[in-house]
Amino acid sequence: MLRGEGWIVASAEVDARTLISQTHAAMDLAGASMLSQVPLPWPVPPTSFDVNEFTYAFQEFVDTYGVPRYKEINPALFTAVTFPFLFGMMYGDIGHGACILLGGIYLLITHPAYRRCVSSAGENEMLGGVYASRYMLITMGLCAIYVGFVYNDCFSLALALFDSGYLWEGSKGSVAGSVDGGAEANLSAPYGSTGSIYPFGVDPAWHISSNELLFFNSMKMKTAVIFGVVQMTGGIFLKGLNALYFGDRAVFWLEFMPMIIFDFCLFVYMAVLIFTKWAINWDRRQLMGSCGIDGLTFDQRPCSDGDSLKHKCALNFGGETGGCAPPNLINQLINIALNPGVVDEPMYSGQGSAQSALLAIAFLSVPVLLLGKPVYIYFQHASQPASASQPISTQIEMDQDSTSSEDPKSKEVHSFSEVLIHQCIETIEFVLGMVSNTASYLRLWALSLAHTELAQVFWEKIMRTAINANSIFFVFVAYSTFAVVTAAVLLAMDLLECFLHALRLHWVEFQNKFYKADGTRFTPFTLGQLSDK
């Protein structure tokens, strides 16, 4: 009698029973074959996911970092959506994104021919990896094109797809025409009206303005912070979902809840401040802080030009401006922690008190995160009848040994000091990590800026110089040089750079909020592998 034990994917159990019965009957063996469930306790089960041609590359990304623990939330599901988009934020350009998209489409079309070559001549590992990422390249190209439309960048050139909301002397309804250097742009319609808003993306007028770099720096930096906070917050929520699924009340109430409170009080609030500044009509606010020609303020109080803005402002929100001037958000965010309760440039009434309360709640959540779970486990252990010398039994998150024969539901035994030290490390890593991870998302801004400036330098120093020379031969040589440099730097090196940075944001900033990555990949049993060994 031959007996063996192994894991079977639940969805394949019926197929396995059928194959065993058919094999047994074909060999004309006496007796019966059977497939039965091994009684508990079991070793830690391996992890298996059904992947298709689209999700395969993203699952490989996750598995390279670490295989998901059995029944843990699989980050590949979210990576398939967020990875191409974060790449597009760094690589946003219509032209360059179209090149990546065309490359992905080419791999998609030629994939059947490649498979025929593999079946006859064997597989090339490097070429196979490139073809396996064909759908990923397509999504990366699409996201780069979409963000390129948002940035209004096509090979570093702005596209006037719609009429601009700004007018110069010599331009009529667009940025076309002769514009003198230093000329002032004026809105073509009242501020906030439909006519003053560009239908989609950035108005091309910003690309020829003297403060172009300041505008794009501000926009891209704030956008990077917002998306970073959203992704990190999503990772914390996934930690809570994992705790609910596994029924771990201590993790949910004493780890997830303090983490999400800390996150909302400081970092989500930071994103709310950004949206608040964007939503306020600062033209009207500044009018409310001005002194009219009749010597009266907006709320009909006597004033003079020498009065401070705080005195003239009708809002009376406090600080130095009273709420009538746009704030410097960087200084305001720093002062939340370094100068609590003091807001020099408030945006709403009671902002200082609100920020002090949020800071206090965030600080109070840290001791709960640090001591809550160890104390809960200590009292839980103390309430159970046991000898005084018996160490604490807890399900502390440790690296699991896939070859262990212990029941995965059994509890590992650790002393209270070990549990406390482990929780202290977790707390320090989370609190400091939230700050450093938020700063890390600024790479979305930095790499986007670098990509745009490189493309602009290549165009202006090579193509624009040749066009101004008014020589066909010179233009031909310059275009060849421009194409080679663009392909080598922007379509090769910069693509790889943005790719690696997007990967790092998922591995470090996103997955460390919830992902244990200590599982074992399910490997099907085959006699062929044994014979090869």
Side-chain angles (χ1 to χ4, degrees):
M1 180 178 181
L2 181 62
R3 176 185 175 88
E5 292 184 2
W7 296 103
I8 294 178
V9 179
S11 59
E13 182 178 354
V14 175
D15 295 335
R17 292 182 184 276
T18 303
L19 287 173
I20 290 176
S21 301
Q22 291 176 351
T23 304
H24 196 268
M27 297 177 66
D28 197 20
L29 297 175
S33 62
M34 60 184 300
L35 182 65
S36 60
Q37 182 172 303
V38 177
L40 295 173
W42 295 344
V44 178
T47 304
S48 175
F49 293 108
D50 291 330
V51 295
N52 53 36
E53 293 183 343
F54 178 83
T55 60
Y56 171 78
F58 298 104
Q59 188 63 57
E60 286 298 307
F61 272 4
V62 172
D63 290 349
T64 301
Y65 178 85
V67 179
R69 180 181 294 184
Y70 182 64
K71 291 192 175 182
E72 181 183 18
I73 290 178
N74 183 15
L77 176 66
F78 309 96
T79 302
V81 178
T82 57
F83 178 84
F85 187 78
L86 293 186
F87 170 85
M89 289 186 66
M90 292 181 279
Y91 200 77
D93 188 285
I94 301 170
H96 300 146
C99 293
I100 299 175
L101 176 61
L102 291 175
I105 293 174
Y106 171 80
L107 293 175
L108 184 64
I109 294 174
T110 59
H111 182 254
Y114 169 73
R115 295 307 307 169
R116 289 193 294 270
C117 293
V118 168
S119 60
S120 59
E123 186 170 5
N124 182 296
E125 184 176 356
M126 181 175 295
L127 194 58
V130 173
Y131 271 98
S133 62
R134 60 195 182 279
Y135 288 103
M136 178 186 294
L137 289 173
I138 290 175
T139 56
M140 289 163 56
L142 289 173
C143 289
I145 292 173
Y146 170 78
V147 178
F149 275 109
V150 174
Y151 295 162
N152 202 348
D153 263 337
C154 182
F155 295 114
S156 80
L157 300 176
L159 302 179
L161 300 176
F162 309 97
D163 287 342
S164 172
Y166 295 89
L167 289 176
W168 285 269
E169 183 181 352
S171 65
K172 296 181 180 180
S174 69
V175 292
S178 175
V179 178
D180 296 330
E184 243 182 81
N186 297 306
L187 284 171
S188 59
Y191 179 85
S193 65
T194 305
S196 68
I197 301 173
Y198 198 68
F200 184 82
V202 175
D203 194 308
W206 286 104
H207 286 268
I208 58 174
S209 63
S210 59
N211 59 341
E212 172 195 5
L213 190 59
L214 291 175
F215 170 78
F216 279 99
N217 268 345
S218 176
M219 182 192 75
K220 293 181 178 181
M221 180 174 63
K222 292 180 175 69
T223 305
V225 170
I226 290 170
F227 278 96
V229 170
V230 168
Q231 189 174 41
M232 290 191 299
T233 303
I236 298 174
F237 272 113
L238 292 179
K239 180 183 181 70
L241 292 177
N242 270 331
L244 288 175
Y245 180 81
F246 290 109
D248 197 335
R249 292 179 299 173
V251 170
F252 183 83
W253 292 108
L254 302 176
E255 286 190 1
F256 164 71
M257 290 303 295
M259 285 180 177
I260 203 65
I261 291 173
F262 183 86
D263 174 48
F264 267 78
C265 288
L266 295 181
F267 298 94
V268 174
Y269 175 72
M270 175 174 60
V272 170
L273 285 182
I274 294 174
F275 280 110
T276 302
K277 184 178 179 181
W278 283 345
I280 291 174
N281 185 340
W282 290 108
D283 281 358
R284 178 173 174 78
R285 284 279 185 102
Q286 289 175 321
L287 178 64
M288 296 174 72
S290 62
C291 187
I293 58 175
D294 56 355
L296 296 176
T297 62
F298 187 83
D299 55 348
Q300 302 302 309
R301 290 181 290 111
C303 66
S304 64
D305 292 337
D307 292 339
S308 65
L309 180 60
K310 180 180 179 180
H311 172 75
K312 292 183 290 185
C313 184
L315 296 174
N316 196 25
F317 288 165
E320 296 179 357
T321 65
C324 289
N328 184 322
L329 283 182
I330 295 178
N331 292 338
Q332 195 167 100
L333 295 172
I334 292 174
N335 286 334
I336 291 178
L338 298 185
N339 200 4
V342 177
V343 182
D344 294 331
E345 301 167 318
M347 291 187 287
Y348 60 90
S349 178
Q351 184 174 347
S353 301
Q355 291 180 176
S356 297
L358 290 174
L359 183 65
I361 294 172
F363 279 168
L364 290 175
S365 67
V366 175
V368 177
L369 179 61
L370 174 63
L371 302 173
K373 187 176 177 182
V375 171
Y376 169 80
I377 292 171
Y378 176 82
F379 283 105
Q380 185 184 46
H381 173 74
S383 63
Q384 299 173 354
S387 61
S389 61
Q390 183 179 354
I392 293 177
S393 175
T394 177
Q395 292 177 336
I396 194 169
E397 302 291 356
M398 297 282 188
D399 291 337
Q400 297 179 356
D401 184 359
S402 59
T403 60
S404 171
S405 61
E406 297 178 357
D407 182 358
K409 296 182 180 180
S410 64
K411 298 180 180 179
E412 298 184 29
V413 178
H414 301 280
S415 66
F416 178 76
S417 60
E418 289 176 330
V419 177
L420 185 59
I421 291 172
H422 179 271
Q423 194 65 23
C424 182
I425 295 172
E426 289 277 335
T427 304
I428 294 173
E429 182 180 2
F430 172 77
V431 173
L432 297 183
M434 285 297 295
V435 179
S436 63
N437 293 163
T438 303
S440 185
Y441 276 96
L442 292 177
R443 70 186 67 234
L444 297 173
W445 154 56
L447 268 74
S448 174
L449 180 65
H451 181 93
T452 302
E453 293 302 311
L454 277 174
Q456 191 171 354
V457 167
F458 292 159
W459 172 261
E460 292 184 355
K461 299 301 181 183
I462 301 176
M463 286 304 301
R464 190 174 179 181
T465 303
I467 294 172
N468 291 336
N470 199 22
S471 169
I472 297 177
F473 175 75
F474 195 16
V475 170
F476 176 78
V477 174
Y479 177 76
S480 303
T481 305
F482 175 76
V484 171
V485 172
T486 299
V489 178
L490 296 177
L491 296 180
M493 288 190 293
D494 195 48
L495 184 149
L496 181 61
E497 182 182 21
C498 294
F499 179 93
L500 293 176
H501 279 283
L503 186 61
R504 178 244 153 80
L505 288 176
H506 285 78
W507 278 0
V508 179
E509 277 69 31
F510 174 57
Q511 292 180 182
N512 71 353
K513 301 294 183 295
F514 69 98
Y515 189 43
K516 298 303 177 183
D518 56 3
T520 305
R521 186 191 295 221
F522 173 73
T523 304
F525 172 77
T526 57
L527 291 173
Q529 291 181 351
L530 294 180
S531 61
D532 292 340
K533 294 181 180 179

